[in-house]
Amino acid sequence: MAERIAITGVGQTYHKSKRKDVNAPELVTEAVEAALKDAQLTMKDIDFVVSGSFEMADGQYLPDMWILPEFGGVGKPGLKLQNAGTTGGVAAGAAFNYAASGMFNNVLCVTWQKMDEGQGAFGRGGGGLSEYWQSQIPMSPITNFARRTFAYLHNSGCTEEHFAITRVKQDQCALKNPYAQLKLNTTVEKVMESMALVWPIRYLHMCPSTAGAAAFIVSPENQAKKVTRKPVWVEDWFCAHVGGAFTMAEDPTLSTLRHGCEVVYKRNGITNVLKDIQAFEVYEPCSPAELRWMEEVGVCEDWTAWKLMEQGKVGIDKEIPFNPSGGVTATNPIGATPVIRIIEAALQIRDDAGEHQVPQTVNRALATAYGGQGENVIFLLRKSL
Amino acid sequence: MTDKAVKPVVIEADSISTFQVTVGATGTKFLVEIRDNKRIMGIKCSSCGKVYVPPRSHCPTCCVKMSEWVELSGKGTLTTYTVVRYKEPYQPKEPPIIYGVIQLDGADTGIYGILGEVEPDKVKIGMRFEPVFKDEREGSLLDIDHFRPSS
Amino acid sequence: MTTAEQKQEPEFIQYKYPRTQHYWHALGYQTRAVEGFKQGKIMATKCSKCGRAMVPPRIVCPECYVEVTEWVDQGQRGKLVAAFKIGYPMYDRRTGESQVWDKPVVAVQMEGGALLDGWCSETDLDKLKPGLLLEAVWRPEEERIGAYDDVLHWKPVEK
């Protein structure tokens, strides 16, 4: 039988666009040390290490060989996972599974990205095609979201201004998060005037490139209760992947987020999403995506999220506490981003988020990872089981 | 599905990305000392006392941050080597190249180096070597042009 | 040391390097589509169950999970589905450099049903509405390599 498991320590770096003062191993060690300090453990207590990054974005192949010795991860059983956007999601899921096996006391999950070292990520996100077919028409995450956003404008009846309102809300949340990278204090006008990268996606809609790392420690029930007074229980996780679409013209609303959420809601008896879940940390790589993701997660009906955003119902202390940390549009070290979502959701449950703490008691929080053209990993965390 | 009308082909092409690697503050100090002062520096762990060359910011066994720099003479003992006899575009010199691992006096780890001023069949493990620096140095491990036999 | 010198950012060494991945892509059954591009034809596989036409061709329909054996010439004309301009210098994986892309990218639904991406000769986005009829303008035969951009661009059909 699987053990019940809980997150006992979390840690992340202060995220920046460039970190010339540290190499990748040193950057990762900052997050590991923070997580160990949070759990009041040392590397001697760790008996399994799951590591992950988006290799292609950093240009470092087999990065674990270089990075794990820096923080003492060598010689321990472990697993290295390399995806793109969902890296942190599958790494966290693997860490949860290893902890639930009951074979390990303290499982460390560490993910990172040092995007000041490569320009690969923006060119390689076309997804789904072979290297040959993909190299012909330049596609990127930005072009992918352009077609989705184009469809959202068409289907929902909202205007470009609503994407700017969403960006301002995300920015206001990020201003309260000490770890967030972009703190722009921007306005609707500035967002709407910013350069159209690929219309309707504008410069200020898109997530930044970030150098950062994030880590957490997860343990089976008995050990978790010994380590911390504030365990964050892992209720469920689900990985929903589909094959990438061949061209941008294929279904622009394709996403596994709705399907994944339906599965975990059903398994855990969630019938009223907004009542049963008190904080959401959803991987939204650009501002318009947050609107669609709100609908797919189930906090509102299809094509209505922009109305809630316009009415100011979304925010840290609002009806819908969606991405109180500022989210991915403020901070995006790709490989580590899903783990940051889990960390932020855990901090909300522990009541440790500080200035961006949701005022109501958070008994359950949802975190997701997004990648490729429609892959999603969904996590449910609980205050008590 | 086999399609007998068309003979399958294999496409050959390149996919190119440009990256830049950050050495970090600790690595930069090491390379700058080589570039500006022809000096090889190690870093010492305050917990176990091991001296690492090239330096790293954390001791991998003790997991403590290291900050005590140690100046080394540069002389050391060959612990292993190999001879590369084929040619690749990224190799810094023409083959044959003797790659050696040299444990510098005062250090607990070995450092990679190209051995020079010695014939491949005359090299023996345990031989003593010293660094020969390039005249034009740019802050790279290749600023050490090669290691030559010493007393 | 003066105050101005103290404020200078300390030196941090970085190395810049291009990394070339040379690859061999076995086209297999896709060869027929590549040969088609070289001859100025857009060849797609068509699912016998749902009728979906696919470029680049797939051998199994992702929806119906049945083997796809029928090849259909998609014709030279198609309707515009979506169009956008890349407004920033985007990285080109064929050269490793960032590049400015002047022509808009269009998604075209061919007469035969297949969807594919290409460049458009019309640079005024306001004129590129969904449903606009487009026609393929091919590169000279000797320049074709068997790929999407053997279609130099898609040109709106004059009425």
Side-chain angles (χ1 to χ4, degrees):
Chain A
M1 280 300 286
E3 299 269 343
R4 303 206 290 182
I5 54 166
I7 295 170
T8 57
V10 298
Q12 58 180 315
T13 58
Y14 290 93
H15 304 289
K16 302 268 189 295
S17 69
K18 289 188 172 67
R19 283 295 302 275
K20 288 187 196 170
D21 59 324
V22 289
N23 58 28
E26 291 162 1
L27 179 76
V28 175
T29 304
E30 287 178 13
V32 173
E33 284 183 334
L36 288 169
K37 192 178 167 201
D38 187 43
Q40 295 187 322
L41 296 172
T42 68
M43 270 313 284
K44 289 192 179 71
D45 303 308
I46 301 297
D47 45 16
F48 197 94
V49 179
V50 181
S51 62
S53 70
F54 177 15
E55 269 180 330
M56 242 175 192
D58 283 357
Q60 289 298 332
Y61 298 90
L62 299 177
D64 50 321
M65 294 179 73
W66 192 40
I67 285 171
L68 262 61
E70 193 72 23
F71 61 80
V74 163
K76 296 178 189 292
L79 185 70
K80 168 200 140 200
L81 286 158
Q82 306 284 344
N83 262 20
T86 55
T87 300
V90 291
F96 293 155
N97 284 3
Y98 277 100
S101 77
M103 292 168 69
F104 306 100
N105 274 332
N106 300 295
V107 177
L108 171 70
C109 174
V110 55
T111 53
W112 63 89
Q113 206 72 56
K114 201 159 184 307
M115 289 179 71
D116 49 347
E117 306 214 339
Q119 34 97 287
F122 281 102
R124 292 186 176 277
L129 295 180
S130 68
E131 190 70 43
Y132 176 66
W133 291 106
Q134 211 172 3
S135 65
Q136 299 162 11
I137 308 289
M139 283 294 174
S140 77
I142 305 174
T143 52
N144 288 339
F145 277 105
R147 68 187 166 104
R148 281 161 193 266
T149 306
F150 187 79
Y152 192 83
L153 276 169
H154 181 77
N155 291 329
S156 71
C158 77
T159 66
E160 278 195 73
E161 192 183 350
H162 295 99
F163 303 145
I165 294 170
T166 310
R167 183 68 188 95
V168 170
K169 169 251 152 193
Q170 292 163 333
D171 186 40
Q172 287 301 317
C173 294
L175 282 167
K176 295 186 172 166
N177 178 357
Y179 294 101
Q181 178 190 342
L182 288 187
K183 297 179 190 189
L184 304 168
N185 207 4
T186 191
T187 61
V188 170
E189 292 73 32
K190 278 186 196 161
V191 176
M192 290 183 72
E193 280 165 13
S194 69
M195 181 176 74
L197 294 171
V198 180
W199 187 87
I201 300 289
R202 292 185 181 277
Y203 183 69
L204 287 180
H205 290 156
M206 213 59 211
C207 56
S209 67
T210 308
F216 66 78
I217 296 156
V218 57
S219 299
E221 186 170 6
N222 282 340
Q223 173 69 8
K225 284 178 174 163
K226 274 185 230 161
V227 171
T228 177
R229 283 184 295 115
K230 285 184 184 176
V232 176
W233 300 96
V234 181
E235 187 175 26
D236 200 357
W237 81 279
F238 183 76
C239 182
H241 273 202
V242 297
F246 254 175
T247 71
M248 69 166 187
E250 276 191 61
D251 185 2
T253 57
L254 181 77
S255 163
T256 51
L257 185 57
R258 185 193 304 271
H259 168 66
C261 285
E262 279 168 5
V263 171
V264 293
Y265 293 166
K266 196 175 173 195
R267 285 207 294 230
N268 298 285
I270 294 169
T271 48
N272 183 336
V273 176
L274 265 185
K275 193 166 144 278
D276 295 338
I277 302 173
Q278 291 81 29
F280 300 85
E281 276 293 341
V282 173
Y283 193 134
E284 84 314 357
C286 63
S287 306
E290 180 158 316
L291 297 172
R292 186 63 185 141
W293 280 196
M294 278 169 66
E295 294 156 6
E296 297 201 338
V297 161
V299 301
C300 60
E301 295 293 314
D302 269 352
W303 319 118
T304 61
W306 60 278
K307 290 179 191 161
L308 299 170
M309 197 61 78
E310 188 181 28
Q311 291 158 9
K313 287 186 176 168
V314 189
I316 297 169
D317 50 2
K318 303 288 167 56
E319 276 170 53
I320 305 169
F322 215 78
N323 292 334
S325 70
V328 184
T329 46
T331 313
N332 189 23
I334 303 176
T337 301
V339 171
I340 297 172
R341 305 276 73 69
I342 291 170
I343 290 175
E344 289 293 346
L347 289 176
Q348 292 292 346
I349 286 174
R350 279 165 42 169
D351 208 6
D352 281 346
E355 263 198 89
H356 62 288
Q357 176 68 44
V358 172
Q360 80 226 54
T361 308
V362 180
N363 286 315
R364 189 192 259 131
L366 178 112
T368 76
Y370 167 87
Q373 297 216 8
E375 287 74 10
N376 277 280
V377 192
I378 292 105
F379 299 92
L380 277 183
L381 305 179
R382 285 284 294 268
K383 197 178 201 114
S384 58
L385 280 179
Chain B
M1 178 177 53
T2 49
D3 189 348
K4 294 202 173 72
V6 183
K7 189 172 176 282
V9 297
V10 175
I11 291 273
E12 197 175 342
D14 285 330
S15 177
I16 310 168
S17 322
T18 307
F19 296 109
Q20 58 183 11
V21 166
T22 314
V23 172
T26 307
T28 297
K29 180 170 168 63
F30 173 70
L31 295 173
V32 165
E33 285 287 347
I34 290 177
R35 183 189 67 193
D36 297 350
N37 307 318
K38 297 191 197 178
R39 211 160 40 190
I40 300 179
M41 304 287 285
I43 199 162
K44 188 173 180 179
C45 172
S46 59
S47 170
C48 67
K50 264 191 193 165
V51 174
Y52 291 88
V53 185
R56 56 199 315 152
S57 67
H58 289 76
C59 173
T61 41
C62 309
C63 308
V64 296
K65 198 160 167 64
M66 299 185 284
S67 55
E68 189 188 341
W69 287 89
V70 185
E71 190 186 334
L72 305 172
S73 68
K75 289 188 179 181
T77 309
L78 187 70
T79 57
T80 184
Y81 71 98
T82 189
V83 184
V84 179
R85 298 190 187 272
Y86 66 95
K87 201 172 167 162
E88 288 273 14
Y90 51 77
Q91 286 168 355
K93 285 176 188 276
E94 288 294 310
I97 306 169
I98 318 170
Y99 281 113
V101 175
I102 295 153
Q103 188 169 340
L104 299 175
D105 297 350
D108 290 281
T109 58
I111 187 170
Y112 273 109
I114 296 168
L115 307 184
E117 300 178 41
V118 59
E119 290 303 314
D121 55 358
K122 296 283 190 305
V123 180
K124 294 271 182 307
I125 287 176
M127 269 172 76
R128 300 279 295 159
F129 282 89
E130 66 184 10
V132 177
F133 295 93
K134 279 184 184 157
D135 293 333
E136 302 271 317
R137 294 181 298 277
E138 52 182 23
S140 137
L141 257 189
L142 293 173
D143 285 351
I144 305 174
D145 187 72
H146 61 272
F147 283 85
R148 70 176 174 212
S150 81
S151 51
Chain C
M1 198 186 277
T2 64
T3 335
E5 277 170 331
Q6 280 168 351
K7 272 187 183 166
Q8 271 185 355
E9 200 197 346
E11 181 186 5
F12 294 116
I13 291 177
Q14 287 186 307
Y15 293 105
K16 199 169 181 175
Y17 64 97
R19 181 166 256 163
T20 304
Q21 287 165 312
H22 194 76
Y23 65 90
W24 290 266
H25 183 78
L27 287 162
Y29 63 92
Q30 293 182 337
T31 299
R32 191 146 170 180
V34 170
E35 294 300 325
F37 276 117
K38 286 184 186 166
Q39 294 159 16
K41 280 195 266 183
I42 295 161
M43 298 297 292
T45 53
K46 189 178 173 186
C47 174
S48 57
K49 202 167 166 194
C50 70
R52 164 201 288 249
M54 293 164 279
V55 183
R58 283 183 192 257
I59 200 166
V60 172
C61 173
E63 289 285 320
C64 312
Y65 199 59
V66 296
E67 190 179 353
V68 181
T69 53
E70 190 187 347
W71 287 84
V72 182
D73 187 334
Q74 298 292 305
Q76 297 294 316
R77 288 183 173 188
K79 279 184 180 160
L80 188 144
V81 176
F84 57 73
K85 256 187 192 170
I86 300 170
Y88 65 108
M90 193 153 111
Y91 157 78
D92 179 359
R93 67 174 66 196
R94 287 180 179 174
T95 62
E97 299 295 328
S98 289
Q99 185 182 326
V100 175
W101 307 83
D102 296 324
K103 290 180 191 167
V105 178
V106 286
V108 186
Q109 178 141 38
M110 300 299 298
E111 286 162 342
L115 285 156
L116 68 154
D117 298 338
W119 304 106
C120 189
S121 60
E122 176 57 66
T123 52
D124 184 357
L125 278 185
D126 289 338
K127 290 186 183 162
L128 297 177
K129 298 277 182 235
L132 182 72
L133 194 61
L134 298 168
E135 191 170 47
V137 177
W138 293 84
R139 287 180 192 277
E141 204 164 340
E142 61 275 14
E143 284 179 24
R144 294 182 202 156
I145 56 166
Y148 286 130
D149 53 2
D150 288 347
V151 180
L152 182 66
H153 54 238
W154 293 85
K155 197 176 143 212
V157 176
E158 306 285 341
K159 280 178 188 147

